[in-house]
Amino acid sequence: MPLDAPQTSSMSRTAMKAEMLDAETELALAYAWRDHRDEQALHRLINAYMRLAISMASKFRRYGAPMNDLIQEAGLGLMKAADKFDPDRGVRFSTYAVWWIKASIQDYVMRNWSMVRTGSTSSQKSLFFNMRRVQARLEREAMANGEELDGYQLREMIAHEVGVPLRDVEMMEGRLSGSDFSLNATQSTEEDGREWIDTIEDEGARGDVGVEHDLDMGALRGWLAEAMTHLSERESLIVRERKLREAPRTLESLGEELNLSKERVRQIEAAAFQKMRRYLERHAGEVQNLLA
């Protein structure tokens, strides 16, 4: 059930008064929940970081979603983080929770931005949430240098900055600036004109193809998981945060967390991929068949 305004206000006041956990207490609560399903420990852990969830939710108000809904989604992300957190990894719960909270809010915003989905892949999601910010920065820098960018140049620079194809930027720009229309509207004014929905390809796979694909992907995921066990803790963290998250972290943010330069994080990431590649070469034939 969605929260109303008084509930949101009350939750915010309660969150601001919650205890601040030190690393030792946080770890003890995480172990109590993971190993003994101690609901009181879970309650303390979630209450302590609800202020973090509310703070993150407030940053997404510009997308037009009700604040109470954003807080509710942030809370769901926080609970998912608490349920999946592994205290043996040596990472603070707050650091881990940030990405679950952010992913939950972003999914909600994208589900409600338009009747037609704006994007579902990690690169499309990154583009959706970063495009306007990157565009504004590029325009400011061009103005400071006395340069004038045309639309095509700007889109090219955005694509390079975010790391997506130019066509994705052009498509996202159209979606963000346009409005929804009925898929049952005809493409022309003629009586026998096709409806837009007729032009959408059926992406559903046949049942037998789907089962075979699931089995193949299961084997591939198993090999990848095994390859990651050959990485150091730092390499594993970088690979997970850069490649296995819905909202991948930047080299800069990981560098700040690990007290490393952006270039050093990139080097560690490259070395980790090389280690994984050497392991996967043992299954070279099978991998090629799966990816063919």
Side-chain angles (χ1 to χ4, degrees):
M1 179 183 297
L3 301 173
D4 55 28
Q7 286 176 311
T8 300
S9 178
S10 175
M11 181 180 291
S12 298
R13 288 195 300 270
T14 301
M16 293 305 109
K17 297 176 183 177
E19 64 179 319
M20 301 286 288
L21 300 179
D22 56 38
E24 186 177 345
T25 304
E26 177 187 289
L27 196 61
L29 294 174
Y31 277 121
W33 169 244
R34 189 196 69 177
D35 298 339
H36 307 293
R37 284 339 226 187
D38 184 336
E39 293 189 3
Q40 187 175 357
L42 175 65
H43 186 70
R44 277 185 68 188
L45 195 61
I46 289 177
N47 277 354
Y49 288 104
M50 196 61 204
R51 65 162 63 84
L52 171 65
I54 293 173
S55 174
M56 292 184 65
S58 68
K59 297 176 182 178
F60 288 83
R61 284 181 295 184
R62 66 182 181 274
Y63 294 101
M67 185 61 188
N68 54 345
D69 289 351
L70 291 173
I71 290 177
Q72 185 163 300
E73 291 298 324
L76 290 174
L78 179 60
M79 286 188 284
K80 288 179 183 177
D83 191 52
K84 295 179 177 294
F85 180 61
D86 182 358
D88 291 329
R89 291 289 185 182
V91 178
R92 285 295 301 264
F93 175 71
S94 55
T95 302
Y96 181 78
V98 161
W99 302 107
W100 279 99
I101 294 169
K102 185 177 181 181
S104 183
I105 298 173
Q106 287 182 338
D107 286 344
Y108 169 77
V109 170
M110 295 189 73
R111 286 197 310 269
N112 290 275
W113 177 265
S114 172
M115 288 164 52
V116 180
R117 292 182 67 185
T118 307
S120 57
T121 66
S122 59
S123 61
Q124 289 171 332
K125 190 174 292 185
S126 175
L127 181 59
F128 177 85
F129 287 104
N130 291 297
M131 182 169 168
R132 294 306 185 209
R133 176 182 58 80
V134 172
Q135 178 176 330
R137 177 172 59 77
L138 292 173
E139 289 175 336
R140 285 196 305 270
E141 292 174 355
M143 186 178 297
N145 295 327
E147 301 172 352
E148 186 173 346
L149 302 175
D150 60 34
Y152 182 79
Q153 288 176 312
L154 186 57
R155 288 190 292 273
E156 272 196 322
M157 293 173 72
I158 292 172
H160 177 74
E161 189 81 15
V162 182
V164 299
L166 176 61
R167 64 178 180 275
D168 284 3
V169 176
E170 293 171 338
M171 183 179 297
M172 188 64 70
E173 185 176 59
R175 288 175 175 177
L176 293 179
S177 62
S179 58
D180 292 327
F181 62 92
S182 172
L183 291 176
N184 296 116
T186 56
Q187 292 178 296
S188 68
T189 57
E190 300 175 7
E191 290 186 4
D192 59 348
R194 288 192 306 172
E195 294 181 354
W196 283 102
I197 197 169
D198 294 331
T199 67
I200 299 177
E201 180 181 356
D202 181 4
E203 297 179 350
R206 299 196 332 261
D208 58 333
V209 175
V211 170
E212 184 178 354
H213 176 270
D214 290 344
L215 291 173
D216 288 344
M217 289 303 101
L220 184 57
R221 282 193 294 269
W223 290 332
L224 287 172
E226 180 64 25
M228 287 192 66
T229 64
H230 296 268
L231 304 180
S232 68
E233 185 174 342
R234 187 166 62 176
E235 290 170 337
S236 181
L237 171 65
I238 291 173
V239 170
R240 287 199 311 273
E241 297 297 330
R242 291 279 293 156
K243 298 299 180 183
L244 303 181
R245 301 295 184 199
E246 281 293 325
R249 293 180 63 179
T250 63
L251 295 171
E252 291 89 344
S253 70
L254 281 168
E256 290 173 2
E257 178 183 334
L258 299 172
N259 197 26
L260 298 171
S261 68
K262 172 182 174 181
E263 177 59 23
R264 182 55 184 150
V265 174
R266 189 197 63 76
Q267 291 172 354
I268 294 173
E269 179 183 48
F273 288 154
Q274 186 61 33
K275 284 185 181 180
M276 294 178 69
R277 188 175 296 111
R278 284 198 296 268
Y279 175 82
L280 290 173
E281 283 175 355
R282 304 178 193 174
H283 302 284
E286 293 93 330
V287 172
Q288 287 178 358
N289 290 334
L290 291 183
L291 300 180

